[in-house]
Amino acid sequence: MEKYSKEIDAFLRSKILPKLGINEYTKDNIGEIVEYIFDEIEGPLCDAEEAGDTLTDEDKELLRLATKAIIEITTRSDWE
């Protein structure tokens, strides 16, 4: 499995993998990682934004990275 862009690789390694107790992303766990990003970060932050809540700058950056990660991961040729 090829690595993702530097930004997404850093995001996964610093923010996501530690939360899941995983050391590396692999073909076998990338689906679980995407599901976590969507369920725990992107979905709730989008819901909050749609409800009219003002996101902090930190939340906006987290949402940007989560969305970018999901798109980058799921649009690659090795995504199943």
Side-chain angles (χ1 to χ4, degrees):
M1 172 176 216
E2 291 182 36
K3 299 292 182 199
Y4 296 103
S5 67
K6 282 186 176 185
E7 183 177 44
I8 297 307
D9 183 65
F11 171 67
L12 293 174
R13 291 180 185 284
S14 68
K15 301 282 187 193
I16 305 303
L17 297 183
K19 297 259 186 196
L20 294 172
I22 299 171
N23 293 324
E24 288 288 327
Y25 53 83
T26 66
K27 186 177 98 171
D28 295 329
N29 66 17
I30 199 68
E32 175 186 355
I33 292 168
V34 168
E35 187 175 320
Y36 174 84
I37 295 170
F38 179 77
D39 290 346
E40 301 298 325
I41 300 171
E42 188 183 43
L45 289 175
C46 284
D47 290 346
E49 202 171 44
E50 288 175 9
D53 296 344
T54 302
L55 299 181
T56 64
D57 288 343
E58 185 178 310
D59 285 342
K60 288 177 186 176
E61 178 63 5
L62 190 58
L63 177 57
R64 182 189 74 78
L65 287 168
T67 301
K68 186 174 179 179
I70 290 171
I71 290 169
E72 186 172 324
I73 292 167
T74 61
T75 58
R76 285 201 356 186
S77 61
D78 60 358
W79 174 255
E80 294 178 1

